[in-house]
Amino acid sequence: MGDNLYKERYSKRGMTEVRPMTAKVGVVPSADGSAIFETGKTKAIAVVRGPRTLHPQHMQNARTGILRVNYGMMPFSVEDRIRPGPNRRSEEISKVAEWALSSVVDLSGFPNTVVDVFIQIPQADAGTRVAGINAAAMALAHAGLPMKEMVSAIGVGKIDKTLVVDLDKYEDSLFHDGEGSTDIPVVMTSRGKEIALLQLDGKISFSEFREVVEMAKKACGDILKVQTRALHEVSGDRLQVTGGDDE
Ligand code: ADP
């Protein structure tokens, strides 16, 4: 098996230490809800529009409104320019973000409607899907939509033989030839502390998996504090749903 090649993080961060985080809501005044969430060099902006009547009509659900998430990276969000427009990766991330967020947003009071969530990444240094979900959850709360609870998300993983929290792009791309690095985005609910979404790219043993999920839980607790603080900064300003039909 050989020595562990990743005993110290190149950034000098502790193994369970997240990158510096900042969050702010109401960053797009024309939207029904909006937020920015940053972790290190990764930035995510989320904008919410709706609920509004869903067209075409055959896609409507008479029992509930539906959530529709659109994730995209801006062309110059990474060093090599990314071709604009949707691709398989962005469609997958849109879908998983939609699943994770749908588990906490209650749109049963808005039948036949859609709530659109646009997640954009102006600057990427890994962890964009989790940063995007953090921003989107805040933007939905800012829009005043009924939420059973909040969600907070973090990427955890394994680099060579070491378990780590919040991998950046450099760490994400380490050791692809050896045991590789393992990337596990985790979305946790705030009250129930349940996993709303977990993906796994790479290999990990079951006992390490349990340990790293515990590390994710703890990090999500810290992220929740950042999200809640940002929401409190504007609470009182926007507590009600600002819409319900085609405005
Ligand atoms: P996440 O951003 O959620 O960690 P991935 O694991 O797919 O998602 O991507 C990791 C990182 O790789 C991204 O955050 C970004 O920094 C970089 N990346 C993703 N797609 C591209 C691309 N097409 N070109 C260059 N870098 C990319």
Side-chain angles (χ1 to χ4, degrees), residues 71 73 78 82 89 93 124-129 169 172 183:
Y71 161 101
M73 280 170 84
V78 293
I82 295 176
R89 177 179 171 275
I93 295 178
D125 186 27
T128 63
R129 78 191 65 201
K169 178 64 193 163
D172 194 41
D183 180 20

